[in-house]
Amino acid sequence: MNDTLLALAQIFTQLSVLAFGGGNTILPEMQRQVVEVHHWMSAEEFSALFALGQAAPGPNLMVVTLVGWHVAGFYGMLVTTLAKFGPSSLLTVLALHAWERLKDKPWRRHIQTGLLPVTAGLVAASAALIAEASDLNLLLTVITAITATLAWQTRIHPLWLLFGGSMVGLLGMGQF
């Protein structure tokens, strides 16, 4: 295994065990590692891979696999996918059994309540990071704001919002 694959394995294993409250909570650190620390891609490329991963059917974090593919081809894809999903899956199985045994403990509800704002903050940080990397001009910023408002204030399915965004992109709006 070469140095790049080892670095990918180390980064995505760490991210795997730190991701709680959903995979999107690790996006800021993932982007920092692959863009700022290792310079494997630009912030715009990361944002584009995230968008592609969200539009594709399958797991929520397809961006992990796409980052691996972008950085080191097939073996990069394999390493990042196993490193990201293997440890967290194992921990989830183990924690779930322990959590079920402790279901009658009063402190369990307090822990869950305390984790909600942490998770919400991490997801909000991820959204801000992706918006910052994607909004390269005022028009794109306005489109992001409108889409976020629609997602928050209406019951429009997110796939329709993704479809609308792709149509805007196909029309060339927001391009330089």
Side-chain angles (χ1 to χ4, degrees), residues 40-95:
W40 286 325
M41 64 185 67
S42 68
E44 291 80 19
E45 289 172 321
F46 182 84
S47 179
L49 291 177
F50 175 75
L52 181 60
Q54 290 298 298
N60 186 11
L61 274 185
M62 286 292 291
V63 66
V64 169
T65 302
L66 295 172
V67 165
W69 182 275
H70 180 86
V71 172
F74 175 79
Y75 292 109
M77 174 190 71
L78 191 62
V79 165
T80 56
T81 302
L82 291 174
K84 169 57 188 85
F85 297 110
S88 60
S89 296
L90 182 61
L91 279 174
T92 299
V93 168
L94 295 174

Side-chain angles (χ1 to χ4, degrees), residues 83-147:
K84 169 57 188 85
F85 297 110
S88 60
S89 296
L90 182 61
L91 279 174
T92 299
V93 168
L94 295 174
L96 189 59
H97 288 294
W99 201 242
E100 281 301 311
R101 278 188 283 138
L102 302 170
K103 67 182 175 187
D104 297 327
K105 302 292 182 190
W107 49 264
R108 182 181 145 166
R109 186 170 43 88
H110 297 299
I111 290 175
Q112 285 179 290
T113 302
L115 288 175
L116 283 174
V118 172
T119 301
L122 289 170
V123 170
S126 299
L129 179 121
I130 292 299
E132 182 181 342
S134 302
D135 294 343
L136 303 176
N137 58 47
L138 181 60
L139 178 60
L140 292 176
T141 302
V142 169
I143 291 170
T144 298
I146 290 170
T147 305

